[in-house]
Amino acid sequence: MAIRVMLVDDQALLRTGFRMVLAAQPDMEVVAEAGDGVEALQVLRSTAVDVVLMDVRMPKLDGVETTGRICVDPNAPKVLILTTFDLDEYAFSALKAGASGFMLKDVPPGELLAAIRSVHSGDAVVAPSTTRRLLDRFAPMLPATGQEPRHKELQRLTEREREVMVLVAQGLSNGEIAARLVLSEATVKTHVGRILTKLGLRDRVQVVVLAYETGLVRAGGGQG
């Protein structure tokens, strides 16, 4: 079945460009469009969507608030934020709101298509190191933490799972984590899956955000 994509952007020309790129793919279908967040929420009530390409700066209801409302539903489509600037406070806020990642609007078509497929399959949308740079930039916006992480749910993790979570937040891929901890890549993937389940997180991007929020990892990538 084709990946059902929704385009949300207040610039019709940009939506047209994205639609043309996606229409050429045998495994993708643009099933809906919206020019602002209010319209997007209305459309999603009656249209089945797998991935939403979401602009952040829109009239009526911006992409951050829209993303937050979409992601409240555990069965919601994945949201991929489109932003003009690499280090954008809107993208940071959208990640916290539940977006699975972000891409620049001038991304090469091949990278955008790969990102949509990754989001749909549940993998990380952007390189964890890119997310880390974004979080490092806006770390002062996060609540102050003490030496010990405040998030009680982290206590559900085993020592090994905490170790894996720290390395995910530091931007390492599953393969790199496997090499660091002398584990198989399949074992690392299992650990990541358990972390997501125990903490109620959607994907690796939210693992990184939570690690920063709780002080498990500090700005600059160091362990808290």
Side-chain angles (χ1 to χ4, degrees), residues 58-120:
M58 297 181 294
K60 296 184 181 179
L61 195 65
D62 67 27
V64 175
E65 180 67 23
T66 306
T67 296
R69 295 190 190 185
I70 291 173
C71 293
V72 167
D73 183 348
N75 298 315
K78 299 294 181 65
V79 178
L80 180 58
I81 293 295
L82 297 173
T83 179
T84 307
F85 304 104
D86 194 0
L87 295 180
D88 187 330
E89 70 275 14
Y90 288 90
F92 169 82
S93 299
L95 291 178
K96 290 189 66 178
S100 295
F102 70 98
M103 302 288 290
L104 295 178
K105 283 189 175 181
D106 61 356
V107 65
E111 290 184 26
L112 176 65
L113 296 171
I116 293 172
R117 294 184 179 104
S118 293
V119 172
H120 184 249

Side-chain angles (χ1 to χ4, degrees), residues 31-54:
V31 295
E33 294 186 33
D36 59 65
V38 172
E39 184 183 359
L41 293 173
Q42 292 173 342
V43 171
L44 282 171
R45 292 192 189 104
S46 58
T47 306
V49 175
D50 298 313
V51 178
V52 179
L53 294 186
M54 178 79 70

Side-chain angles (χ1 to χ4, degrees), residues 125-199:
V125 183
V126 293
S129 56
T130 305
T131 306
R132 242 190 63 211
R133 285 196 299 112
L134 187 76
L135 287 165
D136 284 347
R137 169 68 177 80
F138 295 105
M141 296 169 58
L142 294 171
T145 57
Q147 282 298 106
E148 290 299 316
R150 300 178 306 160
H151 202 298
K152 291 184 179 180
E153 290 183 5
L154 291 183
Q155 296 172 7
R156 300 178 185 174
L157 302 181
T158 65
E159 184 176 345
R160 176 63 85 187
E161 287 164 354
R162 274 175 79 101
E163 203 172 4
V164 170
M165 183 172 178
V166 168
L167 295 177
V168 168
Q170 290 177 342
L172 275 67
S173 66
N174 284 354
E176 292 167 336
I177 294 172
R180 178 78 63 88
L181 300 180
V182 195
L183 299 170
S184 72
E185 196 165 338
T187 298
V188 172
K189 189 170 183 180
T190 297
H191 282 313
V192 172
R194 287 175 180 163
I195 292 167
L196 295 176
T197 299
K198 288 183 178 182
L199 300 181

